[in-house]
C-alpha cells in the first residue's frame, strides 16, 4: 500500500514541477508574493531599480523545486 501512495505522490510532484510558471508574468499571476519579493526586495538595495523579468526568472529557477510548490502538491493528494 505504501508503494502505491509513494508512486502517486511522485507522479503528482512531477506534474506539479512541470506546471511551474515559465515567464515573469505567469509567476506574478500564480505566485504574486514570490514574484514581488524577487522583483523588489530580495537583495535589491534602496534606490535601485526593480529587477527585470529575466533576472526575476533566473532567481526563481534557483529556488529548489519542492520549495516552489509550497503546499500545492499536498492539497492535490
Amino acid at each position: 500500500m505504501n508503494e502505491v501512495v509513494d508512486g502517486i505522490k511522485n507522479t503528482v510532484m512531477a506534474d506539479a514541477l512541470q506546471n511551474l510558471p515559465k515567464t515573469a508574468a505567469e509567476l506574478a499571476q500564480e505566485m504574486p508574493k514570490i514574484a514581488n519579493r524577487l522583483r523588489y526586495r530580495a537583495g535589491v538595495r534602496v534606490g535601485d531599480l526593480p529587477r527585470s523579468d529575466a533576472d526575476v526568472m533566473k532567481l526563481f529557477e534557483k529556488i529548489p523545486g519542492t520549495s516552489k510548490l509550497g503546499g500545492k502538491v499536498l492539497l492535490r493528494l
Side-chain angles (χ1 to χ4, degrees), residues 21 23-42 44 50-53 55-57 59-60 63:
T23 65
E26 288 176 8
L27 179 63
Q29 184 176 11
E30 294 180 34
M31 302 176 183
K33 288 183 180 180
I34 292 175
N36 189 38
R37 282 191 182 141
L38 294 177
R39 186 172 300 276
Y40 299 106
R41 294 180 53 200
V44 177
R51 287 190 176 94
S52 68
D53 288 352
D55 290 339
V56 167
M57 291 312 295
L59 286 174
F60 182 67
I63 298 172

Side-chain angles (χ1 to χ4, degrees), residues 3 9 14 19 27 32 35 41 51 54 57 68 73:
E3 293 173 3
K9 286 181 183 178
N19 294 328
L27 179 63
R41 294 180 53 200
R51 287 190 176 94
M57 291 312 295
K68 292 177 191 176
V73 172

Side-chain angles (χ1 to χ4, degrees), residues 40 44-50:
Y40 299 106
V44 177
R45 295 185 182 119
V46 175
D48 284 352
L49 294 174

